[in-house]
């Protein structure tokens, strides 16, 4: 028996396509994808469409603006998902995970202030990443979403853009 929470950790940290498929089993893939598209629309992702649960098909589409809307929704309404994506989940009420020593594919070495994020790699979309950071600007920590799509090295792109933001706007 594996909990959905354990599967979600596996999905978010290691981009496990198998975990994505397992999460859909109780509802069935078609119904789950329908719910994904409905939720995407509800959070302002008007130009996004999902064709599978793991995001590997070329029919899965989104935009930087839609991913920003997703990041904003997660930050203000489902921050636990962001924390899980960087391995900082609070499992006090649920007990330890069945999975040990998961590799965090979302981490970016030498980058501070990451609240959460997700990498994605596919032949049609290239190397992409959404990262959410808290950066001090004008004496206040502010959430900053940095999105890189279709890159050769999305993490390097995130580091470059975040560096620009910190250099030009931050008091850190």
């Amino acid at each position: 028996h594996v909990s959905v929470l354990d599967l979600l950790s596996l999905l978010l940290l290691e981009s496990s396509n198998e975990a994505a498929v397992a999460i859909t089993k109780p509802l069935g893939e078609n119904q789950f994808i329908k719910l994904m598209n409905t939720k995407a629309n509800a959070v302002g992702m008007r130009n996004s469409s999902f064709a599978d649960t793991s995001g590997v098909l070329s029919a899965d589409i989104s935009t930087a603006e839609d991913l920003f809307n997703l990041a904003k929704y997660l930050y203000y309404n489902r921050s636990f998902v962001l924390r899980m994506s960087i391995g900082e989940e609070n499992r006090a009420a649920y007990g330890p995970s069945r999975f040990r020593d998961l590799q965090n594919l979302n981490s970016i070495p030498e980058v501070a202030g990451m609240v959460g994020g997700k990498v994605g790699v596919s032949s049609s979309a290239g190397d992409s990443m959404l990262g959410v950071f808290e950066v001090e600007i004008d004496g206040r920590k502010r959430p900053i979403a940095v999105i890189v799509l279709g890159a050769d090295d999305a993490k390097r792109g995130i580091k470059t853009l975040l560096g620009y933001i910190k250099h030009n706007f931050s008091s850190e």
Side-chain angles (χ1 to χ4, degrees):
H1 174 258
V2 177
S3 72
V4 172
L5 183 63
D6 288 340
L7 291 170
L8 188 57
S9 292
L10 191 57
L11 172 67
L12 289 171
L13 289 172
E14 292 192 349
S15 294
S16 170
N17 296 338
E18 293 83 4
V21 170
I23 289 170
T24 69
K25 286 290 183 195
L27 291 175
E29 185 178 27
N30 290 337
Q31 179 64 19
F32 198 93
I33 293 167
K34 182 179 175 187
L35 291 172
M36 286 172 57
N37 285 311
T38 299
K39 186 63 172 186
N41 191 55
V43 302
M45 299 176 72
R46 307 272 188 257
N47 297 301
S48 295
S49 178
F50 302 105
D52 75 319
T53 57
S54 56
V56 297
L57 298 178
S58 61
D60 293 304
I61 58 169
S62 194
T63 64
E65 181 180 7
D66 280 4
L67 292 173
F68 172 76
N69 287 333
L70 174 62
K72 188 168 49 171
Y73 172 78
L74 291 172
Y75 185 84
Y76 289 110
N77 300 287
R78 301 290 186 267
S79 60
F80 77 93
V81 174
L82 292 173
R83 286 191 306 276
M84 286 180 78
S85 73
I86 57 171
E88 294 181 3
E89 62 184 290
N90 180 350
R91 295 188 59 102
Y94 305 101
S97 174
R98 290 195 44 152
F99 302 108
R100 300 277 188 260
D101 302 318
L102 295 179
Q103 182 181 0
N104 184 352
L105 300 179
N106 305 312
S107 69
I108 305 175
E110 302 112 31
V111 173
M114 189 169 187
V115 176
K118 186 72 186 81
V119 297
V121 179
S122 71
S123 57
S124 59
D127 193 10
S128 300
M129 183 169 190
L130 175 147
V132 178
F133 303 87
E134 287 182 339
V135 177
E136 189 169 316
I137 299 175
D138 295 330
R140 289 184 16 213
K141 284 221 179 264
R142 298 184 182 232
I144 303 289
V146 182
I147 300 161
V148 174
L149 303 174
D152 290 329
D153 186 344
K155 287 183 181 182
R156 186 179 70 218
I158 295 276
K159 283 173 65 172
T160 300
L161 290 168
L162 189 62
Y164 177 84
I165 292 166
K166 287 182 176 182
H167 179 74
N168 289 286
F169 302 101
S170 176
S171 52
E172 290 182 358

